[in-house]
Amino acid sequence: MQASFESIKALCPIYAGLQSERRRPELIGSGTLLDFRKARFLVTAAHVHDLTKDCRSLLYTIGPNHLLPLPNNFAKTCLPTSGKREDDHFDFAFVRFDDTQADQIAQRYYFLPFPLIDVDDRQAPDSAYMFAGYPCN
């Protein structure tokens, strides 16, 4: 029996660790899991990653049975000349997983294969789209 594809399974929560008064990880955003055959990534908004600027906090997602620390070597779009993330028209951050981390995450979530991403897709008035994520504010 083949599992049915559900794009929602390619979305995962992102938590920042130990920032709340109760010293519990706090849900700060979400990311999309992407599979480029030889590499698997988590893509999120740069403003989500910016919430950890103080470097005292690790980012996590949900692993098979526990919170799984995310790698700390995120790449993200540069701030525009204004220095404000609100003026960043791209607002992307991403990180590559090693195989061990990706395999752990794949026990709960689905890495969206690159061929399913249509980079030439255009939104049209009569097209149906779904945007999903956790708004931080």
Side-chain angles (χ1 to χ4, degrees), residues 72-83:
N72 60 6
N73 56 335
F74 273 77
K76 60 185 175 179
T77 53
C78 296
L79 286 172
T81 55
S82 69

Side-chain angles (χ1 to χ4, degrees), residues 1-33:
M1 180 173 163
Q2 185 176 359
S4 63
F5 168 73
E6 293 180 35
S7 60
I8 198 74
K9 291 182 179 177
L11 296 174
C12 67
I14 298 174
Y15 295 88
L18 307 178
Q19 288 185 334
S20 69
E21 290 177 11
R22 296 172 62 184
R23 307 287 293 163
R24 292 185 182 171
E26 177 183 352
L27 181 63
I28 63 166
S30 59
T32 302
L33 299 166

Side-chain angles (χ1 to χ4, degrees), residues 46 77-80 82 84-92:
T77 53
C78 296
L79 286 172
S82 69
K84 297 178 183 176
R85 185 61 71 191
E86 303 89 54
D87 297 331
D88 180 358
H89 298 291
F90 299 105
D91 193 26
F92 285 108

